[in-house]
């Protein structure tokens, strides 16, 4: 394993330490909690052990059961829109990021007139860091993490890449070829603004875990820290060290076996980061948030059973995902709440615990009191999304109370897909074999 800490510039570490010293000298040390926001990529409802005992995620389950499980936590159908919601507190259709994800060479991003979460936390005296996937724009330096409120960035700009070479995935190249452009695979891996070289052959989940633990060891626990950890896992391509895959020899479907191993590798990484928070004095005054960015991709090993649909759809399987809050600061723990929570709520909720306040007029609602075991449900409705492009046609969905309305298509695939090793799997296969439908999925994928 390469020591990621040694890869970080010694000059950068010196500047970071100096900045922390002056923050302490100017009275920025407070009782404000450290905030760790962990985002899994393409993690489905049925891909965590507290919803599916066949999945091995003991560290995540320990955190979830020792905190508050958000049983009706909603995100956007795709990655860029969800990350937009996390960072701005607005439904993506209000900021022009609702239709799809940011592609390679696309001159776009979250508009600069929006002050995003790390910028607001910086104003409150926080040290802010991101390790992992950005995917909110890189067409100009001003759209990149260290120009948008983060003190440091270690990760990649786009949506998918190889877990070992850290080069762009072929799906990114296909998207630009479809736009009449020509490009070769390239390294999409950054240490702040510089290319991060020397990680070829090292699995990204382990690289990010090591980078996070090294960073935590160098930060000052007396200064409030915002650590944003949007992992690459468990997005395709399906790649994982063999030892994790071997934990699921009972699963015959290769994609599901690899994907399940990727979940367990992610779980181990989060366990390592939690241990570092405890070892270096952060955990006792920390709030750990875990969420997916959208539903699982059933064509690439993910599973949303018993919810309907898939990543990229307005069905529940595309928009309702596993989430929890874990913190020694919670007044009440070990319970599941069925109150509605949406991705836009993270910004005002986290600003509240940091001692700040969100701007008026945003879509997000401060739900800290609900999470903390006090008060009843605050949110009664939300917009799943509103699409307005010619290719997708105008369509959308809204939920009010227990009722959901979809206008136009909910998206495809639109069925219910049990995991491939489940007895129901064969019954569903038979159903689709006998169904004359253009939306019939290939369940062997």
């Amino acid at each position: 394993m390469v020591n990621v800490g040694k890869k970080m510039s010694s000059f950068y570490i010196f500047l970071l330490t100096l900045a922390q010293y002056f923050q302490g000298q100017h009275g920025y040390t407070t009782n404000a909690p450290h905030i760790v926001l962990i985002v899994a990529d393409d993690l489905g409802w049925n891909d965590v052990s507290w919803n599916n005992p066949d999945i091995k995620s003991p560290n995540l389950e320990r955190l979830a059961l020792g905190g508050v499980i958000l049983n009706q936590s909603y995100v956007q159908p795709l990655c860029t829109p969800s990350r937009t919601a996390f960072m701005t507190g607005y439904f993506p259709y209000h900021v022009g990021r609702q239709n799809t994800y940011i592609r390679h060479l696309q001159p776009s991003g979250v508009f600069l007139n929006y002050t995003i979460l790390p910028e607001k936390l910086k104003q409150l005296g926080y040290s802010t860091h991101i390790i992992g996937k950005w995917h909110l724009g890189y067409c100009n330096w001003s759209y990149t993490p260290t120009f948008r409120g983060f003190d440091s960035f270690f990760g990649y700009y786009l949506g998918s890449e190889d877990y070992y070479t850290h080069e762009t995935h072929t799906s990114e190249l296909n998207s630009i070829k479809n736009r009449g452009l020509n490009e070769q695979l390239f390294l999409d891996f950054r240490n702040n603004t510089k290319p991060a070289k020397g990680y070829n052959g090292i699995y990204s989940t382990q690289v990010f875990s090591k980078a996070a633990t090294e960073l935590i060891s160098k930060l000052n626990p007396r200064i409030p820290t915002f650590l944003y950890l949007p992992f690459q896992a468990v997005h395709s391509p399906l790649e994982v060290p063999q030892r994790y895959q071997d934990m699921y020899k009972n699963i015959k479907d290769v994609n599901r076996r690899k994907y399940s191993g990727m979940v367990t590798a992610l779980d181990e990484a989060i366990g390592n980061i939690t241990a570092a928070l405890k070892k270096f004095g952060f955990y006792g005054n920390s709030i750990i948030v875990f969420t997916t960015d959208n539903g699982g991709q059933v064509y690439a090993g993910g599973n949303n059973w018993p919810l309907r649909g898939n990543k990229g759809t307005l069905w529940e399987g595309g928009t309702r995902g596993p989430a929890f809050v874990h913190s020694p600061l919670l007044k009440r723990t070990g319970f599941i709440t069925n109150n509605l929570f949406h991705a836009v709520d993270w910004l005002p909720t986290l600003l509240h615990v940091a001692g700040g306040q969100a701007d008026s007029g945003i879509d997000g609602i401060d739900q800290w009191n609900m999470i903390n075991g006090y008060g009843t449900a605050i949110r009664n409705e939300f917009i799943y999304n509103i699409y307005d492009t010619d290719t997708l046609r105008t369509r959308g969905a809204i939920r009010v109370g227990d009722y959901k309305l979809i206008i136009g298509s909910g998206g495809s695939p639109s069925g219910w897909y049990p995991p491939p090793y489940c007895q129901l799997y064969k019954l569903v296969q038979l159903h689709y074999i006998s169904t004359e439908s253009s939306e019939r999925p290939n369940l062997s994928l």
Side-chain angles (χ1 to χ4, degrees):
M1 174 64 68
V2 171
N3 188 322
V4 176
K6 291 183 179 178
K7 287 287 180 181
M8 298 178 69
S9 163
S10 58
F11 180 65
Y12 165 71
I13 295 298
F14 167 75
L15 290 179
L16 181 62
T17 305
L18 191 64
Q20 290 177 344
Y21 170 77
F22 281 111
Q23 280 184 315
Q25 288 293 101
H26 288 81
Y28 291 146
T29 53
T30 68
N31 291 324
H34 307 293
I35 299 170
V36 182
L37 174 55
I38 304 170
V39 178
D41 202 334
D42 286 8
L43 186 72
W45 178 264
N46 201 38
D47 296 332
V48 291
S49 55
W50 59 94
N51 289 334
N52 177 3
D54 293 326
I55 294 293
K56 297 174 176 62
S57 57
N59 295 297
L60 282 168
E61 182 168 339
R62 192 176 304 113
L63 292 172
L65 298 184
V68 180
I69 294 175
L70 305 177
N71 207 40
Q72 295 205 59
S73 175
Y74 285 84
V75 286
Q76 297 300 123
L78 288 172
C79 41
T80 294
S82 282
R83 293 157 206 272
T84 299
F86 297 149
M87 293 291 111
T88 68
Y90 283 96
F91 291 127
Y93 73 89
H94 276 153
V95 299
R97 288 260 55 101
Q98 75 274 31
N99 289 313
T100 187
Y101 59 91
I102 293 175
R103 292 176 166 84
H104 176 45
L105 298 182
Q106 183 176 350
S108 184
V110 173
F111 296 129
L112 301 179
N113 58 311
Y114 292 98
T115 304
I116 65 173
L117 181 58
E119 294 173 300
K120 291 184 174 294
L121 289 172
K122 282 290 290 181
Q123 295 169 3
L124 297 171
Y126 271 73
S127 172
T128 57
H129 309 273
I130 170 175
I131 295 173
K133 173 177 171 176
W134 175 236
H135 215 189
L136 290 176
Y138 73 111
C139 60
N140 181 292
W141 281 122
S142 3
Y143 286 87
T144 59
T146 52
F147 291 81
R148 301 214 70 172
F150 285 105
D151 292 326
S152 71
F153 168 55
F154 183 83
Y156 61 109
Y157 290 144
L158 284 164
S160 63
E161 62 179 19
D162 189 279
Y163 279 78
Y164 291 97
T165 66
H166 316 295
E167 294 182 337
T168 48
H169 190 225
T170 51
S171 61
E172 297 288 350
L173 297 189
N174 291 336
S175 75
I176 62 173
K177 288 177 181 176
N178 293 338
R179 289 181 280 144
L181 302 170
N182 188 21
E183 184 65 76
Q184 294 181 337
L185 291 175
F186 65 92
L187 181 71
D188 183 11
F189 220 45
R190 296 270 170 170
N191 187 353
N192 296 313
T193 58
K194 303 296 183 183
K197 299 180 179 179
Y199 298 95
N200 186 34
I202 309 174
Y203 191 60
S204 78
T205 301
Q206 296 170 340
V207 173
F208 294 148
S209 171
K210 185 70 173 177
T213 57
E214 291 283 348
L215 177 63
I216 291 167
S217 74
K218 292 176 173 61
L219 293 173
N220 184 348
R222 294 179 60 245
I223 297 171
T225 296
F226 173 50
L227 182 55
Y228 178 39
L229 299 173
F231 276 87
Q232 179 179 358
V234 285
H235 195 292
S236 62
L238 297 180
E239 297 174 327
V240 68
Q242 189 65 39
R243 68 183 180 93
Y244 298 103
Q245 189 179 163
D246 287 345
M247 296 179 186
Y248 295 92
K249 290 181 178 179
N250 59 306
I251 299 178
K252 303 304 179 186
D253 182 90
V254 175
N255 281 359
R256 183 61 178 170
R257 185 167 66 246
K258 287 182 178 179
Y259 180 96
S260 300
M262 292 167 74
V263 174
T264 299
L266 172 64
D267 177 80
E268 182 181 278
I270 293 170
N272 292 339
I273 292 166
T274 305
L277 292 171
K278 293 178 178 178
K279 178 179 179 180
F280 296 105
F282 289 83
Y283 175 78
N285 187 33
S286 69
I287 294 171
I288 300 171
V289 172
F290 177 84
T291 179
T292 185
D293 66 339
N294 47 246
Q297 172 57 274
V298 297
Y299 296 148
N303 196 258
N304 305 304
W305 180 262
L307 304 180
R308 180 182 185 180
N310 185 58
K311 167 188 177 178
T313 74
L314 293 169
W315 306 111
E316 295 296 282
T319 56
R320 181 178 172 186
F324 65 77
V325 177
H326 178 95
S327 173
L329 306 176
L330 287 169
K331 302 298 183 184
R332 182 185 171 204
T333 59
F335 72 97
I336 298 172
T337 177
N338 284 304
N339 293 331
L340 291 182
F341 194 97
H342 192 274
V344 296
D345 297 335
W346 287 121
L347 180 139
T349 300
L350 295 177
L351 284 179
H352 171 98
V353 300
Q357 188 174 359
D359 297 334
S360 60
I362 67 170
D363 297 308
I365 300 171
D366 172 13
Q367 298 225 47
W368 179 250
N369 285 337
M370 182 276 290
I371 292 171
N372 207 17
Y374 299 102
T376 56
I378 299 174
R379 179 174 288 284
N380 185 54
E381 63 182 34
F382 64 87
I383 304 293
Y384 286 82
N385 204 17
I386 299 175
Y387 295 99
D388 61 359
T389 62
D390 292 336
T391 55
L392 292 171
R393 302 182 183 276
T394 301
R395 60 191 183 97
I398 184 174
R399 176 169 171 177
V400 179
D402 291 334
Y403 293 91
K404 178 177 182 177
L405 173 67
I406 297 179
I407 302 295
S409 170
S412 174
S414 61
W416 287 265
Y417 311 108
Y421 51 85
C422 174
Q423 290 295 323
L424 284 171
Y425 177 72
K426 292 183 179 180
L427 296 177
V428 173
Q429 276 188 311
L430 291 173
H431 166 74
Y432 280 105
I433 289 172
S434 62
T435 299
E436 296 298 328
S437 169
S438 60
E439 293 188 358
R440 184 171 65 206
N442 180 352
L443 293 178
S444 65
L445 291 174

